[in-house]
Amino acid sequence: MTLVQLEYLLAVDTHRHFATAAEHCFVTQPTLSMQLQKLEEELGVQLFDRSRVPVRPTEIGKEVIAQARTVVAEARKIREIVQNQKQELSGELRIGVIPTLAPYLIPLFITRFMAKYPEVRVVVQELLTEQIVQKLNHELLDVGLLVTPLEDKSIKELPLFYETFVAYINPNHPLAKNKTIAPEQLDTDELWILNEGHCFRSQVLNICNRAGGAYTAGAGHLDYKSGSLETLKRIVETQRGLTLLPELSVLDIPPQKEGLVHLFREPQPQREVSLVVHRSFLKKKLVEALQQEITAAIPDEIRNRKKQQVVEVRV
């Protein structure tokens, strides 16, 4: 049994396809298949059911794979120990970030981070929360930037900051005359929200539920399903109604649109933005450096804000 065989085993489990796994391991499919066959012969068990498409691990295969993840992770820590001793920050840092954070948070720190650590190759993917957690568990990402708490025992959450929710209201809406609003004032019949799957959608619905409101998708003549906060802004501006947005998304709003932004009354609803890693995560120095650069890049008002009324991520 070798580490290479265990890495091939994990690759097949992750991709559930021998050719794809071989491609990601930079070997030919016959080479990967031969090594896995040798591993199965040595163990005397079948690890994958090859009769199914996509291939799936057998029951004993699931147990072996779980242990293989631990073994491979511990072996990789040896390289990390050596790298930490050399005080070098290099290699690849794979970051998963949710779409309601990516366009507002990434530009704040990424240029400075890359200039400070030129030997680090940063790979950023916009993904939904469930996809980020899944990729962390399969070691396809090193770190996630998302909204917590998730109450998932497989990951470790490192809170970065707390940003408030704001309302973005069409000038012709009755609430537009109010400088601040309360959740119970929300007109849920004209509330635009993101598609299902976005944690931000769940939080908005929780704010509405707390106020006793019931959301009706696409009330009126237009039913628009969006995955972009920027699109929701444009709909509010050109059509009607209102939407809720995270604070970072309105930091650089043009002066002519500032009147569309309305704060909530105290205590303002917040979302907790965290850096998330797998419980047995590697690249600790890189992750710590990333955490420091993000914290330094956040505006003082947000960075110094205390945790108060965090809205639950799940409905």
Side-chain angles (χ1 to χ4, degrees):
M1 184 187 309
T2 67
L3 281 174
V4 170
Q5 289 173 333
L6 296 183
E7 288 174 346
Y8 291 171
L9 174 68
L10 297 182
V12 174
D13 179 57
T14 297
H15 301 287
R16 300 299 172 92
H17 191 273
F18 279 83
T20 305
E23 180 181 346
H24 282 264
C25 292
F26 303 102
V27 296
T28 64
Q29 182 178 341
T31 297
L32 182 141
S33 297
M34 179 185 65
Q35 289 298 324
L36 284 184
Q37 186 176 351
K38 285 184 177 181
L39 179 60
E40 288 177 324
E41 290 173 354
E42 180 181 346
L43 296 176
V45 295
Q46 184 177 346
L47 299 175
F48 288 101
D49 182 354
R50 294 166 172 78
S51 66
R52 306 180 69 174
V53 179
V55 295
R56 296 183 183 179
T58 60
E59 288 304 311
I60 187 62
K62 293 177 183 178
E63 295 185 38
V64 172
I65 288 167
Q67 186 60 37
R69 290 197 182 280
T70 301
V71 172
V72 171
E74 291 299 318
R76 288 174 180 169
K77 286 182 180 179
I78 295 175
R79 298 190 187 96
E80 185 175 348
I81 290 171
V82 174
Q83 190 177 60
N84 289 344
Q85 183 65 30
K86 294 179 178 179
Q87 296 296 311
E88 293 179 353
L89 284 181
S90 61
E92 186 174 76
L93 183 62
R94 301 163 299 175
I95 304 171
V97 56
I98 56 175
T100 58
L101 265 178
Y104 317 114
L105 180 59
I106 297 296
L108 292 181
F109 73 87
I110 196 66
T111 301
R112 179 175 170 177
F113 181 86
M114 294 178 69
K116 193 170 183 179
Y117 305 106
E119 298 301 316
V120 177
R121 179 174 181 266
V122 181
V123 179
V124 180
Q125 298 181 54
E126 282 194 31
L127 301 164
L128 298 180
T129 297
E130 290 185 1
Q131 295 172 315
I132 291 175
V133 173
Q134 183 181 41
K135 284 180 176 285
L136 285 172
N137 287 331
H138 285 86
E139 299 177 6
L140 297 176
L141 288 175
D142 299 307
V143 62
L145 294 172
L146 41 76
V147 174
T148 55
L150 296 178
E151 299 180 357
D152 188 322
K153 294 181 179 180
S154 70
I155 60 175
K156 182 177 182 180
E157 301 172 357
L158 306 171
L160 295 169
F161 58 88
Y162 299 91
E163 64 172 332
T164 61
F165 288 80
V166 300
Y168 199 70
I169 305 175
N170 183 283
N172 296 320
H173 192 280
L175 286 180
K177 65 181 184 294
N178 296 359
K179 187 174 182 180
T180 61
I181 63 170
E184 57 268 21
Q185 292 179 294
L186 293 176
D187 184 348
T188 54
D189 287 339
E190 293 188 332
L191 180 67
W192 299 99
I193 65 175
L194 296 175
N195 290 336
E196 293 184 8
H198 291 271
C199 59
F200 193 81
R201 171 192 172 96
S202 300
Q203 290 184 300
V204 169
L205 291 179
N206 281 331
I207 292 175
C208 295
N209 291 338
R210 181 186 303 167
Y215 176 69
T216 303
H221 299 292
L222 177 64
D223 182 355
Y224 194 107
K225 294 179 173 59
S226 174
S228 163
L229 292 177
E230 294 303 310
T231 301
L232 295 185
K233 286 183 186 178
R234 300 292 90 78
I235 292 177
V236 168
E237 293 166 8
T238 61
Q239 298 296 318
R240 56 181 173 77
L242 70 157
T243 191
L244 299 190
L245 300 171
E247 185 177 7
L248 284 179
S249 71
V250 296
L251 286 183
D252 298 324
I253 195 165
Q256 64 269 26
K257 295 182 180 180
E258 289 178 354
L260 280 70
V261 178
H262 299 257
L263 303 181
F264 278 92
R265 296 171 189 167
E266 296 290 346
Q268 295 175 303
Q270 302 172 335
R271 71 172 183 171
E272 179 182 80
V273 176
S274 295
L275 186 153
V276 177
V277 293
H278 189 269
R279 281 288 173 184
S280 58
F281 74 104
L282 302 174
K283 304 182 182 179
K284 288 183 172 61
K285 290 289 186 181
L286 270 178
V287 172
E288 289 173 2
L290 177 66
Q291 184 178 11
Q292 292 170 4
E293 291 303 317
I294 293 175
T295 302
I298 296 299
D300 291 343
E301 182 180 356
I302 299 177
R303 181 174 59 249
N304 298 327
R305 181 178 292 131
K306 302 299 183 182
K307 178 179 180 180
Q308 291 183 329
Q309 191 167 318
V310 173
V311 181
E312 293 183 4
V313 178
R314 308 298 183 187
V315 176

